[in-house]
Amino acid sequence: MEETNNEKLTETGDDVRSGEKAEKVCHIALITAALLLFILTGSSKALIMVLLAVVWLIIIKYKHSKRFYETKSTHIKRSLIFWMIAVLANLFSAPFFVGTNGVWRYPIIKRYVHGAYHAVRMPEWFPDKLPQSTKSSRISYLPSVMQGSGYFSVSFECDVTEAEKWAEFGKENAKYIIPFCDYQKVHRSSSEGYNTIPFLPSGYETAPEYAVYTDQNYDDRDLSIVYNSSFWYGDEDGAVIYVKETSLDPEHPLTEAMIVNKEKGMVQLYSE
């Protein structure tokens, strides 16, 4: 009888140790997943997973310090709970902000934002990859939440020939062509999207049907483009805004544009 009881105790101890090991592996896997998400996309949602991992670790440490006896099923249940929270947080909510450097990240973030969430408009003319000559880039993304409008933007430096291609594409498809300095003087915009004086592209239209009459009400019309102020700082002269589409609606904006300085090989693509 004693041998049988000892065997049961041994089996129970092995189960507990295997449960602890399984939970440790799951905990490390969550941290690894959060790290990969942050490296690949720069998404702030990775911080949610890190926070879950920290809370998880605190619970484990507390249990060990109090010497609570936990069965294998307890370890497995806790692992499943934290992983379910992490998965649900990532599947059913878009990343609140992505702003990161890295040419190689662009295709990943574009698929991540457009393919998984559709929380912002992604025009078909946005390239799947940045030009091979790209030297540096900056990707910014903010999803539309409730009544707030979101945007997706990528700015990059490339060869002059590539910038000229974008300028030519802009000329062929733009409804409005605006010198960047003209827009900047009237419509101050920061990387956070705070704007002051409304801008109407009157006099910048490429065809009569796109004419904007300034004698109408200013309050309900505005061309809003969140340009990368740090990227364009000092290089505003010579840059041109090509507005492909715009609703001129400050409440529900629909804007597609590109800013190009072909002499310096600088391009920003923007969709709101």
Side-chain angles (χ1 to χ4, degrees):
M1 182 65 72
E2 289 184 7
E3 290 181 1
T4 303
N5 290 336
N6 288 336
E7 287 175 1
K8 288 183 178 179
L9 287 173
T10 302
E11 290 173 1
T12 302
D14 290 341
D15 287 343
V16 172
R17 282 190 290 272
S18 64
E20 290 177 350
K21 184 177 180 180
E23 184 174 10
K24 184 178 180 180
V25 170
C26 289
H27 185 257
I28 293 173
L30 182 64
I31 295 173
T32 303
L35 183 62
L36 285 174
L37 179 64
F38 183 75
I39 291 174
L40 293 176
T41 68
S43 172
S44 58
K45 288 177 66 175
L47 299 177
I48 298 175
M49 298 173 69
V50 171
L51 180 61
L52 286 173
V54 170
V55 173
W56 192 351
L57 181 62
I58 291 172
I59 292 174
I60 294 173
K61 292 292 185 182
Y62 176 77
K63 295 289 186 181
H64 286 176
S65 67
K66 296 298 182 180
R67 297 184 178 179
F68 284 129
Y69 174 80
E70 294 184 302
T71 63
K72 180 180 180 180
S73 62
T74 303
H75 290 287
I76 293 175
K77 286 178 183 177
R78 186 159 57 226
S79 299
L80 289 174
I81 289 171
F82 276 96
W83 264 101
M84 284 178 63
I85 295 173
V87 170
L88 290 174
N90 280 277
L91 283 180
F92 298 103
S93 63
F96 287 104
F97 180 75
V98 171
T100 186
N101 292 301
V103 177
W104 60 274
R105 282 192 178 104
Y106 172 77
I108 299 172
I109 294 176
K110 184 174 180 288
R111 293 191 187 99
Y112 180 60
V113 169
H114 180 59
Y117 300 105
H118 302 284
V120 69
R121 295 177 62 257
M122 188 72 69
E124 292 183 359
W125 57 268
F126 266 58
D128 292 329
K129 294 181 180 180
L130 296 180
Q132 291 184 349
S133 62
T134 301
K135 303 168 187 175
S136 62
S137 68
R138 175 74 179 178
I139 303 162
S140 297
Y141 163 65
L142 188 70
S144 55
V145 179
M146 301 298 286
Q147 292 297 321
S149 63
Y151 66 87
F152 184 89
S153 175
V154 56
S155 49
F156 56 93
E157 294 182 71
C158 58
D159 285 347
V160 172
T161 53
E162 288 290 343
E164 288 175 346
K165 290 178 183 178
W166 280 108
E168 190 62 30
F169 176 79
K171 288 179 183 178
E172 293 174 356
N173 295 277
K175 292 182 177 180
Y176 307 97
I177 299 178
I178 309 163
F180 184 55
C181 288
D182 289 4
Y183 179 84
Q184 191 182 41
K185 288 176 183 177
V186 177
H187 195 295
R188 295 293 175 182
S189 175
S190 72
S191 59
E192 290 79 21
Y194 298 119
N195 307 313
T196 53
I197 304 172
F199 182 93
L200 290 180
S202 178
Y204 300 100
E205 52 268 42
T206 58
E209 58 264 32
Y210 305 136
V212 178
Y213 299 101
T214 57
D215 59 345
Q216 297 177 12
N217 188 3
Y218 275 69
D219 295 336
D220 59 354
R221 294 185 300 158
D222 181 27
L223 173 61
S224 174
I225 299 173
V226 184
Y227 59 83
N228 188 332
S229 56
S230 61
F231 178 78
W232 290 108
Y233 182 77
D235 294 302
E236 296 90 348
D237 291 338
V240 179
I241 301 175
Y242 301 96
V243 182
K244 190 174 182 297
E245 296 287 346
T246 183
S247 62
L248 296 177
D249 186 343
E251 296 296 329
H252 303 283
L254 186 157
T255 301
E256 298 177 16
M258 60 214 77
I259 308 174
V260 184
N261 187 329
K262 60 183 181 180
E263 295 179 356
K264 296 188 177 181
M266 301 175 69
V267 179
Q268 180 179 351
L269 311 180
Y270 177 81
S271 175
E272 183 176 31

